[in-house]
Amino acid sequence: YVDAEDVNAIAIPHLDELKEKDRPFFFFLAYMDPHDPYFEHPYRGPGYSRAANPSPAPEEAPRLRKLYDGEVTYWDRHFGELIQALKERGLYDEMTIVITSDHGEEFMEHGGYWHGQTLYDEQIRVPLFVKRPYQAAGGSVVTHFTESVDLMPTLLAQNGIAAVEGLQGGLLDHGSETVFAEENHEGNVLRSIRKLDESGKVYKWLRANEGNPRGLPTEELFEMVSDPGEQKNLAATDPARARALDQAMDELEAKYAEGAA
């Protein structure tokens, strides 16, 4: 859990070694700044962590969100320094650069904080930016669904390497019309499916185990275009769609179980 400045201090000198070797390389950097504990920048000393504050009061949400946003801004500034270092060494143009995250954070959107207890979008819809060699397709935005599991096969294909047998992901360029997600953590056993229908609407169906510690409803259905914050549960008013999505979710889960690594 070192900060972005320290990560760069280790990473940037390695760029000179990679440039001298003049051969393809894969360079992975894990920046932890947007993760708790949250610190103010410039540093004053105090931090705010999940370990010490597992259940903050609801009224603390604006302050914690401000701290989180400050950490993202701090990371962004230092990531910019890394990009500048790549450009100064003549490495930037022909590189593929991917920025993504493993999860989001919640700030009382659905009655809680931190991460790992729900499948709402503040948890699982994460940033994904891809810069291709010589800025190919620069500035374009895809409209189909993409998933984190699409990253490996996409990068392999881009470099002419055959995909590993059993990979569940596809290519970012193609994406899909359906996304399955699951979670089993701290007693919360959750599944969801997101599906684009023929009218252009996106429906998301979520199932949670009875008596889950988080207190989540066992069935929820949201139309994500008109209700991106997932606040209006349609499960009771559109039962036919809920049942169809539930069946599709079961089928996807079975498919992924067959190919499980």
Side-chain angles (χ1 to χ4, degrees):
Y1 279 63
V2 300
D3 64 24
E5 184 175 358
D6 289 336
V7 172
N8 280 357
I10 297 169
I12 290 176
H14 279 299
L15 298 178
D16 295 318
E17 299 174 24
L18 294 169
K19 182 175 174 58
E20 287 177 12
K21 290 179 180 178
D22 192 27
R23 67 187 189 195
F25 61 85
F26 178 84
F27 201 35
F28 176 80
L29 298 179
Y31 290 99
M32 294 297 293
D33 305 283
H35 201 287
D36 80 285
Y38 306 141
F39 293 95
E40 290 183 10
H41 296 282
Y43 285 120
R44 295 188 307 107
Y48 198 99
S49 71
R50 181 177 187 170
N53 303 275
S55 301
E59 57 269 22
E60 290 195 75
R63 181 170 76 91
L64 297 186
R65 181 182 290 277
K66 184 177 179 180
L67 285 171
Y68 179 75
D69 289 347
E71 290 278 38
V72 173
T73 300
Y74 170 83
W75 165 80
D76 183 71
R77 184 169 73 251
H78 288 285
F79 182 74
E81 293 176 359
L82 175 72
I83 294 297
Q84 184 59 35
L86 291 171
K87 291 180 176 179
E88 290 170 354
R89 289 158 177 79
L91 295 169
Y92 178 81
D93 284 339
E94 61 181 312
M95 283 186 71
T96 295
I97 300 174
V98 178
I99 306 170
T100 192
S101 180
D102 56 338
H103 62 77
E105 295 282 78
E106 58 177 320
F107 296 93
M108 290 302 295
E109 293 91 344
H110 291 91
Y113 286 98
W114 312 117
H115 60 269
Q117 297 179 332
T118 82
L119 291 176
Y120 298 120
D121 265 21
E122 58 266 21
Q123 297 281 296
I124 66 171
R125 187 178 180 185
V126 297
L128 175 62
F129 301 92
V130 180
K131 185 209 80 75
R132 289 187 160 150
Y134 301 100
Q135 291 62 264
S140 60
V141 179
V142 300
T143 56
H144 51 254
F145 300 147
T146 61
E147 303 177 78
S148 297
V149 290
D150 297 335
L151 279 171
M152 185 202 295
T154 299
L155 293 174
L156 291 176
Q158 180 181 305
N159 289 280
I161 302 171
V164 180
E165 184 179 352
L167 283 185
Q168 295 175 355
L171 298 180
L172 291 172
D173 308 76
H174 302 159
S176 65
E177 296 181 351
T178 308
V179 173
F180 172 75
E182 63 179 337
E183 182 171 322
N184 186 338
H185 188 55
E186 297 177 356
N188 302 288
V189 184
L190 318 174
R191 297 184 301 161
S192 79
I193 187 173
R194 181 193 314 259
K195 192 172 181 65
L196 176 69
D197 76 4
E198 60 281 353
S199 70
K201 292 184 176 180
V202 177
Y203 287 91
K204 183 176 174 183
W205 170 246
L206 301 98
R207 292 286 303 266
N209 54 319
E210 295 272 2
N212 61 83
R214 176 59 189 263
L216 301 170
T218 56
E219 297 184 345
E220 293 180 284
L221 174 66
F222 301 106
E223 199 289 292
M224 303 300 292
V225 177
S226 62
D227 182 25
E230 298 164 282
Q231 298 297 317
K232 186 178 180 181
N233 185 2
L234 305 175
T237 57
D238 197 352
R241 189 181 304 276
R243 295 280 76 80
L245 286 171
D246 197 54
Q247 181 178 345
M249 185 166 67
D250 285 343
E251 291 170 357
L252 270 181
E253 185 175 37
K255 172 188 171 184
Y256 289 137
E258 286 179 7

